Amino acid sequence: MDFNSIVTNGLQAFVGLDAVYFALLAIGLNIHFGYAGLLNFGQVGFAAVGAYGVAMSVTTFHLPFAVGVAIGLLAGVALALLLGLPTLRLRADYLAIATIAASEILRLCFRSVALSKWTGGSDGLNQFANTFANLNPFTPGAKYGFGPFVFSAPDTWSLLVGWTLVGLCVLLVFLLMRSPWGRVLKAIREDEDAARSLGKNVYWYKMQALILGGVIGSLGGMFDAAQTQSVQPDNYGTTITFFAYAVLILGGAARVLGPVLGAMIFWFLLSITETVLGQLVSNGYITFITSSQAGKVRFMLVGLGLILLMVFRPQGIFGNRREIALDAR
Amino acid sequence: MLRSLPRPRLIRHLIAAALVATAGFVLVATAPAAHAAGEGLLGRVTVDSQPVANVSITVTKKGGGQVGTAKTGPDGRFTIGLPGSGDYTATVDPRSFPSGVKLLDPKGGSHTVPVSSDGTRFVIFPLTAGKQLGTAGGGGGQSNKHQPVRALQLLLEGIRFGLIIAITAIGLSLIYGTTGLTNFAHGELVTFGAVVAWELNSRFGLQLIVATILAVIIGGVAGGLNERLLWRPLRKRGTGLIAMLVISIGLSILARYLIQVFYSDRSHAYTDYGNQTARDYGPVNLTDKDLSSIVLSLLVLVGVALLLQRSRIGKAMRAVADNRDLASASGINVDRVVLVVWIMGGALAAFGGVLYGLSDQVNWEMGFRLLLLMFAGITLGGLGTAYGALVGSLLVGVIVQMSTLVIAPELKNVGGLLILIIILIVRPSGILGSRTRVG
Amino acid sequence: MPGDLPLSSAAASFEGLAQEPGVPKRDSVLVVDKVTRTFGGLAAVDVDHLEIQRGGITGLIGPNGAGKTTLFNLMTGFDRPDTGSWSYNGGSLSGVPAHLVARRGVVRTFQLTKALAKLSVIENMKLGATKQRGEKFLRALVPPTWRPQEIDIEARADDLLVRFKLDTKRDDYAGELSGGQRKLLEMARALMSQPEVVMLDEPMAGVNPALTQSLLGHVKDLRAEGMTVVFVEHDMDVVRDISDWVVVMAAGKIIAEGPPDQIMANRQVIDAYLGAHHDAALTIEDEDRQLADDKGTAS
């Protein structure tokens, strides 16, 4: 066993690009699910419209990258309005089904032959974020970082931008959730009718929450797309939303830093299990699965982890007992 | 207050559940020949979603000339090994098409895909016996005279598909009705049934009918274990409905990848009833297996209806779904009823899975793909009722298939999902549900 | 100062009114006209006319399923009627959504208490205040724009908590309170919006007897401060103790109105409670005696 590579890979994943992507998705979900109690199961749809917003603007319509970013964010707002206007009056489980269906509709449309003229069909679009890559101040070919955290120049640039975005979003959530605005949101999560009886416009607050969380999800999708320079429809399947929920619940819903810690730990654990399983298989310790199957085993562990967390620690690994005692509703 | 179940017991239950599930898979499934290492290009050629054999495909490397050729097998599939990573172009030869068939997208005769090192890519060549994409817009045209016949054919296929959705959705609907659980892992019960039948059929050489009967029994046991080992203990602990919904998602992911690891990440057909040609029945045609699928579905559904209507347990199920507390107060053993609902739901899901696998091949995420259509069906019919699920699912199946009259077949599920959203918005109690039951 | 109003003035405003359903009041704050609401063909509410006197405590009684809570829901915008109109201070409330009804000064509580479990007691209280600047999205991001107001609100909330003897629970989660304390919190929270009309749906239900008197005292205090109180209650002792006027509902209709003592003796009311052809077992007096006995043994 090569423990050095296990730890190095794990630590790199801990602060890596996937952690940034899922931190952003989960910060958005935290606003929806953690604070407002909205069961949005279509978060990946927001990521998709953000990513495709920027990719199509640049590739298909030859607009500048910055305009593409603006369009991507607006697409997030538009999706939130489109979804929210009719569905926010629905019961929680109906909203879950409606949003998951909407995100699947988006994916099927993005990959359809009929729209491939604009979307690139099932192959998606590539090389639309050269502006982002060219802004990179780091020297190509050089390595940056310290200890195990050594990254190539493009990754260093992406990580710098990514974690800055995460930091800004965290600050935004922190400010909002300690304000009276956040108090109303939490009240709606606890009991809509109570909030209504105290003169709060529940529908409008839910809409604001859906838009805000959705736009942060779109930002995540955009970041991921810009950093990989590609969008592919099948990368926006419902599994991504489910993983974002796993991230959120791992770190603790309704906590400002919950989604960020969740994303870091999630990818750390996923990387470790992948490397360990991979080495066990290639060294012949495990014979009943192949190395390509070992990659899937970690997804099984995500599912198992989500079940165990929800059963034993629904408040997340850092949550407090006192709060969970109230959950026996 | 409600947490009567001590914690270590729950842990034991969960571990037991995991062991049983794993053992089950090891027993019935060991991966079929793992795919060859190295880069590869896989693909499939279909005519209106049915596989086509003996179509020639040529693969060239960008700037590197021809790499290989292949012909599709009876399942419409082909595999071509590649010398390394890079951009490859797969081109289909129109001269090898069956007569009267052309490319669905006239420009879709070749696909260029980047293949990463050690990666495989999948390409699909959809062909059609009807009109091509882009020729639909003009309105009129000579294809119109076949339209009524095609509509009839699609209606029939829609009924077949709708009945499969109905069989799988009844369990989902009754579980929701009796326990309030929105079970996102129900699709995996469908996949489980199809995969178990496939393993018994292909690996152990059992005839498909025998394999199906066994798969249905195993599916029922799986459903019952779900309830006994996971959901009942959780209910006794007073776990909230939303928490249970998230748990069912975890279970769905776990089960799906478990199936993928132990079954395969590819699609396979059953060894029986593979290559059937359609018989003409007046203006429409059907293969024998599709006809059997329709007849068997109808028989099963009538059986379920009789069970619900006539038997004691059936009446108890409806009573619990209608008002859990009232049913409990009037002496019905709710836990027992829920267990029976789960066993029935698991068995029906497995049966539906086999029928679905018979028409569309067995795949590790087939159930998950069906799940949203099941939701659409039971929402359309009115959540929590068995008959609503039946009618709603049938409608969804018909709408999904018939929508291909006006939209591209690849988008047919979009129609079903759109209906789901619209129904949720316009009439959340469903077409059969009464208005007052909501809220 | 509303608190200076003599207690007798509220009772006096009901003096000499005819005791018949729908009787006009001297100064009506709420007026309900021809409101109907049916559920699956069953008329839950069918009120021809009802006026609520300003500054009084009006009890709404009736057997289970009489439509009291439905009427509450309709008047506060939580449900929509099939027909009819209703107004508040002369302005129509028909079709006004619940949160706007609350902002105009009609707040309600619920039969099943809705304390916001995972908010602290003080957060619950502060939520009740209306016109909060910090509840606007953009201002929420700039604390200096809402801090001063928040400090005022917090001071007011603390005062009310002291008055309702919840100050020791200030920083506990509302979910940790007892049933009676939740009722108190809900009432105190409703007062944070400085309402004109307070509608209490079974304020005493599930409250332990030790807290009942204190709750009753708070309801009377509301009247003393000039607020109008409408409440639904089953306990006849409570109704007799605090109401100035009693409205009786049965099968969705208003069947009687009058001062508590006369209402309790009203034949129609007894019939409604016990069924028209009851076997003449208990009179209201009998029931009262029994209730009194129960109380005696309990304390």
Side-chain angles (χ1 to χ4, degrees):
Chain A
M1 294 282 275
D2 179 3
F3 287 102
N4 196 30
S5 75
I6 292 172
V7 174
T8 308
N9 287 346
L11 288 175
Q12 289 189 352
F14 189 66
V15 297
L17 294 160
D18 283 326
V20 173
Y21 179 34
F22 277 80
L24 287 170
L25 291 182
I27 289 172
L29 271 187
N30 198 22
I31 297 171
H32 294 154
F33 176 69
Y35 290 108
L38 295 172
L39 221 45
N40 168 25
F41 275 113
Q43 184 70 340
V44 73
F46 286 98
V49 294
Y52 270 93
V54 68
M56 284 166 65
S57 301
V58 174
T59 316
T60 316
F61 301 106
H62 309 293
L63 296 167
F65 182 75
V67 178
V69 169
I71 288 176
L73 291 175
L74 284 177
V77 175
L79 179 61
L81 287 171
L82 208 65
L83 263 181
L85 282 175
T87 59
L88 282 179
R89 291 183 207 280
L90 300 178
R91 261 168 30 187
D93 48 349
Y94 289 2
L95 181 71
I97 296 174
T99 46
I100 198 174
S103 78
E104 274 296 276
I105 289 177
L106 280 172
R107 183 179 69 86
L108 290 171
C109 287
F110 282 135
R111 81 193 302 282
S112 74
V113 176
L115 301 176
S116 59
K117 209 183 332 172
W118 298 284
T119 62
S122 56
D123 294 331
L125 300 167
N126 293 300
Q127 299 303 322
F128 45 79
N130 292 326
T131 315
F132 175 75
N134 292 340
L135 283 173
N136 186 354
F138 299 101
T139 319
K143 294 274 185 189
Y144 293 86
F146 56 91
F149 304 104
V150 175
F151 297 96
S152 69
D155 282 358
T156 311
W157 168 232
S158 299
L159 285 171
L160 183 73
V161 172
W163 285 111
T164 308
L165 287 175
V166 170
L168 289 174
C169 290
V170 164
L171 181 69
L172 183 75
V173 173
F174 171 76
L175 283 174
L176 283 172
M177 293 314 159
R178 62 202 286 274
S179 77
W181 187 87
R183 185 159 65 214
V184 176
L185 221 54
K186 287 180 252 179
I188 290 169
R189 174 193 69 199
E190 297 297 308
D191 195 313
E192 274 184 34
D193 281 344
R196 214 171 266 139
S197 78
L198 295 170
K200 315 301 175 197
N201 188 346
V202 168
Y203 184 68
W204 175 230
Y205 277 97
K206 280 185 178 178
M207 183 59 91
Q208 292 179 60
L210 189 67
I211 293 175
L212 181 64
V215 165
I216 293 178
S218 295
L219 193 67
M222 236 182 306
F223 167 77
D224 183 62
Q227 171 273 114
T228 57
Q229 290 256 38
S230 90
V231 289
Q232 253 196 350
D234 292 338
N235 287 341
Y236 301 98
T238 46
T239 316
I240 301 288
T241 306
F242 295 161
F243 282 13
Y245 265 92
V247 161
L248 175 62
I249 289 161
L250 184 71
R255 300 172 172 276
V256 173
L257 282 174
V260 182
L261 292 172
M264 297 171 87
I265 296 167
F266 182 87
W267 285 103
F268 174 75
L269 292 176
L270 224 54
S271 158
I272 291 220
T273 46
E274 190 185 23
T275 336
V276 168
L277 275 172
Q279 292 196 4
L280 286 176
V281 169
S282 61
N283 295 343
Y285 292 111
I286 297 180
T287 48
F288 60 92
I289 50 172
T290 65
S291 56
S292 75
Q293 286 171 324
K296 309 296 179 343
V297 170
R298 58 190 195 142
F299 292 126
M300 284 164 48
L301 295 176
V302 173
L304 187 64
L306 190 57
I307 298 174
L308 293 176
L309 268 176
M310 278 315 281
V311 172
F312 297 110
R313 281 198 83 82
Q315 74 280 39
I317 45 178
F318 302 110
N320 70 31
R321 278 260 135 223
R322 198 166 146 219
E323 203 164 301
I324 197 54
L326 304 171
D327 262 338
R329 299 192 248 175
Chain B
M1 283 150 268
L2 279 168
R3 323 170 158 225
S4 55
L5 195 79
R7 187 162 268 268
R9 215 173 125 209
L10 187 66
I11 298 178
R12 278 210 309 277
H13 276 315
L14 285 172
I15 293 171
L19 284 177
V20 167
T22 321
F25 278 107
V26 175
L27 192 78
V28 297
T30 319
H35 40 98
E39 299 78 5
L41 201 61
L42 314 172
R44 194 171 180 215
V45 183
T46 57
V47 174
D48 297 324
S49 303
Q50 296 296 318
V52 209
N54 292 323
V55 175
S56 308
I57 287 95
T58 312
V59 173
T60 52
K61 183 166 187 178
K62 206 174 197 175
Q66 186 167 326
V67 174
T69 58
K71 274 187 187 297
T72 55
D75 56 358
R77 285 170 185 278
F78 64 89
T79 310
I80 296 171
L82 301 174
S85 60
D87 286 349
Y88 291 91
T89 305
T91 311
V92 64
D93 182 0
R95 285 167 303 181
S96 59
F97 293 171
S99 61
V101 167
K102 24 189 204 297
L103 283 159
L104 180 64
D105 178 0
K107 296 184 292 283
S110 67
H111 290 301
T112 303
V113 290
V115 178
S116 57
S117 119
D118 253 358
T120 51
R121 286 295 303 261
F122 195 84
V123 290
I124 296 176
F125 294 99
L127 313 182
T128 181
K131 65 186 177 197
Q132 285 177 307
L133 280 181
T135 56
Q142 73 272 46
S143 67
N144 258 3
K145 73 174 173 227
H146 298 300
Q147 214 65 334
V149 174
R150 209 174 140 230
L152 206 60
Q153 180 74 35
L154 286 172
L155 175 68
L156 202 59
E157 277 166 28
I159 289 172
R160 180 190 58 75
F161 187 45
L163 287 169
I164 292 176
I165 301 176
I167 284 184
T168 53
I170 283 180
L172 182 63
S173 181
L174 278 173
I175 288 166
Y176 178 86
T178 49
T179 66
L181 169 70
T182 312
N183 182 22
F184 272 81
H186 204 77
E188 277 59 46
L189 284 172
V190 175
T191 316
F192 181 71
V195 167
V196 168
W198 186 86
E199 295 288 347
L200 293 172
N201 177 236
S202 297
R203 274 179 46 79
F204 295 92
L206 290 180
Q207 209 278 339
L208 186 58
I209 294 175
V210 183
T212 304
I213 294 171
L214 286 173
V216 168
I217 294 170
I218 295 173
V221 172
L225 288 178
N226 252 293
E227 158 69 4
R228 282 309 305 268
L229 299 180
L230 184 63
W231 301 112
R232 187 184 291 178
L234 285 176
R235 278 202 309 278
K236 302 286 181 224
R237 283 177 116 217
T239 308
L241 289 178
I242 291 186
M244 291 215 273
L245 190 158
V246 177
I247 291 169
S248 82
I249 286 176
L251 185 63
S252 161
I253 298 175
L254 173 65
R256 201 165 349 133
Y257 284 101
L258 213 74
I259 291 171
Q260 195 200 26
V261 166
F262 287 105
Y263 167 69
S264 165
D265 53 3
R266 303 214 210 143
S267 302
H268 299 278
Y270 293 112
T271 49
D272 297 310
Y273 315 118
N275 288 316
Q276 291 186 340
T277 43
R279 293 176 203 275
D280 287 334
Y281 296 92
V284 294
N285 57 61
L286 269 181
T287 56
D288 286 350
K289 63 176 178 183
D290 284 348
L291 184 64
S292 316
S293 170
I294 292 177
V295 172
L296 284 173
S297 308
L298 281 172
L299 285 177
V300 167
L301 288 170
V302 168
V304 171
L306 284 175
L307 181 87
L308 285 173
Q309 214 61 47
R310 296 282 167 78
S311 74
R312 268 180 70 84
I313 187 74
K315 287 175 189 165
M317 279 180 204
R318 287 188 294 140
V320 174
D322 205 41
N323 187 330
R324 190 186 163 87
D325 293 333
L326 192 66
S328 173
S330 52
I332 293 175
N333 181 346
V334 173
D335 272 345
R336 203 175 83 87
V337 170
V338 172
L339 181 62
V340 176
V341 164
W342 269 100
I343 293 173
M344 198 175 96
L348 286 172
F351 185 61
V354 176
L355 293 182
Y356 192 30
L358 202 55
S359 63
D360 287 53
Q361 295 202 329
V362 180
N363 178 281
W364 63 284
E365 52 177 5
M366 58 192 285
F368 189 68
R369 268 188 271 137
L370 204 60
L371 182 73
L372 286 179
L373 294 179
M374 288 188 233
F375 277 136
I378 62 181
T379 323
L380 189 62
L383 278 173
T385 64
Y387 299 118
L390 205 168
V391 176
S393 303
L394 207 52
L395 274 174
V396 166
V398 168
I399 292 165
V400 164
Q401 294 292 347
M402 295 201 58
S403 65
T404 58
L405 281 173
V406 281
I407 57 174
E410 54 172 2
L411 287 177
K412 64 183 180 183
N413 285 348
V414 171
L417 297 179
L418 269 179
I419 291 166
L420 168 62
I421 295 181
I422 291 167
I423 290 292
L424 280 172
I425 293 163
V426 179
R427 196 173 160 80
S429 54
I431 44 176
L432 290 185
S434 63
R435 223 168 244 284
T436 49
R437 282 191 56 164
V438 172
Chain C
M1 279 273 114
D4 296 341
L5 278 170
L7 271 184
S8 56
S9 83
S13 55
F14 290 99
E15 206 73 33
L17 287 180
Q19 291 178 36
E20 59 190 40
V23 60
K25 307 293 186 303
R26 296 207 164 79
D27 180 11
S28 303
V29 61
L30 285 167
V31 179
V32 178
D33 247 323
K34 300 196 166 43
V35 166
T36 62
R37 175 74 169 99
T38 54
F39 290 114
L42 208 76
V45 164
D46 183 3
V47 170
D48 195 45
H49 189 78
L50 174 66
E51 297 187 9
I52 304 290
Q53 168 69 32
R54 187 188 309 279
I57 299 183
T58 304
L60 186 56
I61 65 169
N64 283 328
K68 305 174 300 268
T69 296
T70 310
L71 183 62
F72 257 45
N73 287 345
L74 291 172
M75 285 163 79
T76 49
F78 278 84
D79 193 5
R80 280 163 194 274
D82 303 326
T83 62
S85 63
W86 61 109
S87 64
Y88 163 64
N89 278 342
S92 172
L93 274 188
S94 312
V96 176
H99 68 277
L100 292 182
V101 174
R103 284 187 206 171
R104 287 202 201 173
V106 182
V107 297
R108 68 167 300 181
T109 66
F110 295 86
Q111 194 175 346
L112 298 169
T113 329
K114 294 188 185 296
L116 306 164
K118 279 199 223 165
L119 264 60
S120 68
V121 168
I122 186 72
E123 291 282 298
N124 261 276
M125 292 295 291
K126 288 196 278 188
L127 183 75
T130 48
K131 298 193 185 113
Q132 295 192 46
R133 293 189 201 105
E135 288 183 358
K136 294 251 182 295
F137 181 79
L138 289 176
R139 288 204 183 185
L141 293 170
V142 193
T145 61
W146 51 265
R147 247 317 134 52
Q149 193 195 22
E150 178 87 351
I151 291 167
D152 287 349
I153 290 171
E154 195 161 325
R156 208 147 53 78
D158 278 322
D159 285 350
L160 274 169
L161 285 180
V162 172
R163 192 172 128 194
F164 281 79
K165 297 201 176 62
L166 286 171
D167 46 328
T168 54
K169 304 279 178 191
R170 187 182 191 274
D171 297 312
D172 289 3
Y173 284 119
E176 295 171 327
L177 299 180
S178 74
Q181 287 169 332
R182 288 185 206 201
K183 287 271 181 199
L184 282 173
L185 174 60
E186 203 181 3
M187 201 186 289
R189 190 177 64 193
L191 296 186
M192 283 297 291
S193 67
Q194 295 166 315
E196 207 179 322
V197 177
V198 182
M199 306 189 61
L200 308 169
D201 197 350
E202 302 204 18
M204 308 300 163
V207 175
N208 99 47
L211 268 177
T212 312
Q213 280 311 314
S214 128
L215 259 168
L216 287 181
H218 289 307
V219 175
K220 288 182 192 162
D221 286 350
L222 301 183
R223 174 178 57 188
E225 287 172 33
M227 283 176 238
T228 307
V229 179
V230 186
F231 73 105
V232 171
E233 189 50 68
H234 281 297
D235 186 334
M236 286 303 158
D237 273 351
V238 170
V239 174
R240 175 173 296 175
D241 187 358
I242 61 170
S243 359
D244 301 313
W245 191 257
V246 177
V247 175
V248 188
M249 284 185 81
K253 292 189 194 315
I254 289 172
I255 58 164
E257 278 193 55
D261 289 324
Q262 274 94 321
I263 281 292
M264 306 272 164
N266 185 323
R267 186 77 216 162
Q268 248 190 308
V269 176
I270 299 164
D271 283 349
Y273 265 88
L274 299 174
H277 305 291
H278 62 88
D279 297 326
L282 286 178
T283 64
I284 285 285
E285 283 78 12
D286 286 337
E287 201 175 39
D288 277 350
R289 218 171 299 126
Q290 265 188 1
L291 282 167
D293 285 349
D294 288 349
K295 282 252 161 81
T297 48
S299 56

